[in-house]
Amino acid sequence: MSSDLILSVRDLKTEFTTENGSVEVLHGVSFDVQAGKTLGLVGESGCGKSVTSMSIMGLLPKPYGQVTGGQIVYRGTDLVGLSSEKMSEMRGNRISIIFQDPMTALNPVHTIGKQLMEVLDLHRPEMSKKEKQAYCVEMLTKVRIPMPEKRLNEYPHNLSGGMRQRVMIAMALACKPDVLICDEPTTALDVTVQASILELMNDLQEETGMSMIFITHDLGVVAEVCDDVAVMYGGRIVEKANVFDIFDKPQHPYTKRLLGFIPDLDCEPKQLIDIKPVDVSEFPEFRG
């Protein structure tokens, strides 16, 4: 693996067991994540973006979901073949994730401080309790939460949506991961809070040098934070390119349809209609 390649997903296949038998959800997904860069994983709801992230993290619901083929290679190690113990060491330590809704991701009956401490208890047992408490305050300060010492003793319901998301970012970055997966982290936030969260994540990426996989259906977010883009449709990657080529020279019909729904202030409002299914087999020339 190239030294500037942190994570490589190759021909990933994931299926779920249902009452009617097994259903394949991911049909050979492949993409690369470069060191210090942000890959945008874009597509409509239900296309397989979150399943891809759960497959990488080893968080598919057991026993119903499982990876049935392909590789997820992190710095030369195939995560698909790791034992549950080894994957637990990797998860949150080298590869971390921020979920879409912090209110459901955070435990409502534990304080913010306790939940931050749990991350350090698991991955940094050599630190003393006093060191962990000081580090928790440092992390909350880093994600720009005011009065961090006070927030450690508060519960998730005491915080606003934007503050809860900042806590999730602090937890995800506590162990200084190489790769951060952001699963639509700003979807539940209003636009002003969303802008501040995106600015924070850009600043933290510059400071730490981490790589990011940014999962979203918002092309405005993609334009602001991503270096490369993989467009997903029906459990497949239908186009991969750098962010400028995706917006200026889209190749696949589905990518063109997505871009066609971006509001334009100079034109009449567009009628929102469902995107019709695209048979990817009819377009062998797409980049990817």
Side-chain angles (χ1 to χ4, degrees), residues 114-174:
K114 179 176 176 58
Q115 296 184 64
L116 269 169
M117 289 279 282
E118 285 179 346
V119 178
L120 300 176
D121 289 341
L122 180 61
H123 296 295
R124 297 294 183 269
E126 72 280 2
M127 297 175 69
S128 68
K129 184 176 181 180
K130 188 175 181 180
E131 287 174 332
K132 291 175 183 176
Q133 289 176 335
Y135 189 70
C136 288
V137 172
E138 179 185 337
M139 289 306 300
L140 292 183
T141 303
K142 185 171 289 188
V143 296
R144 303 170 191 168
I145 289 182
M147 297 182 291
E149 294 88 351
K150 177 184 177 183
R151 303 302 181 194
L152 288 178
N153 298 314
E154 294 186 339
Y155 292 86
H157 67 268
N158 298 130
L159 305 181
S160 66
M163 294 272 274
R164 289 194 293 266
Q165 195 59 280
R166 289 172 189 266
V167 170
M168 288 296 300
I169 295 172
M171 292 174 66
L173 298 183

Side-chain angles (χ1 to χ4, degrees), residues 97-114:
I97 188 168
I98 302 171
F99 295 103
Q100 179 173 346
D101 186 356
M103 197 58 199
T104 57
L106 291 170
N107 192 322
V109 300
H110 291 309
T111 63
I112 299 303
K114 179 176 176 58

Side-chain angles (χ1 to χ4, degrees), residues 78-98:
D78 188 359
L79 304 185
V80 174
L82 285 187
S83 65
S84 58
E85 292 80 10
K86 291 291 186 182
M87 194 63 211
S88 294
E89 293 176 8
M90 186 77 67
R91 189 188 305 121
N93 191 19
R94 300 281 52 120
I95 304 177
S96 202
I97 188 168
I98 302 171

Side-chain angles (χ1 to χ4, degrees), residues 228-263:
D228 302 295
V229 183
V231 181
M232 199 165 189
Y233 176 80
R236 295 179 173 87
I237 301 295
V238 296
E239 183 167 4
K240 290 180 289 188
N242 67 59
V243 66
F244 300 105
D245 286 343
I246 284 291
F247 281 89
D248 296 338
K249 298 177 289 185
Q251 300 296 304
H252 195 273
Y254 180 69
T255 308
K256 294 176 181 178
R257 288 179 186 174
L258 285 178
L259 293 170
F261 285 99
I262 297 177

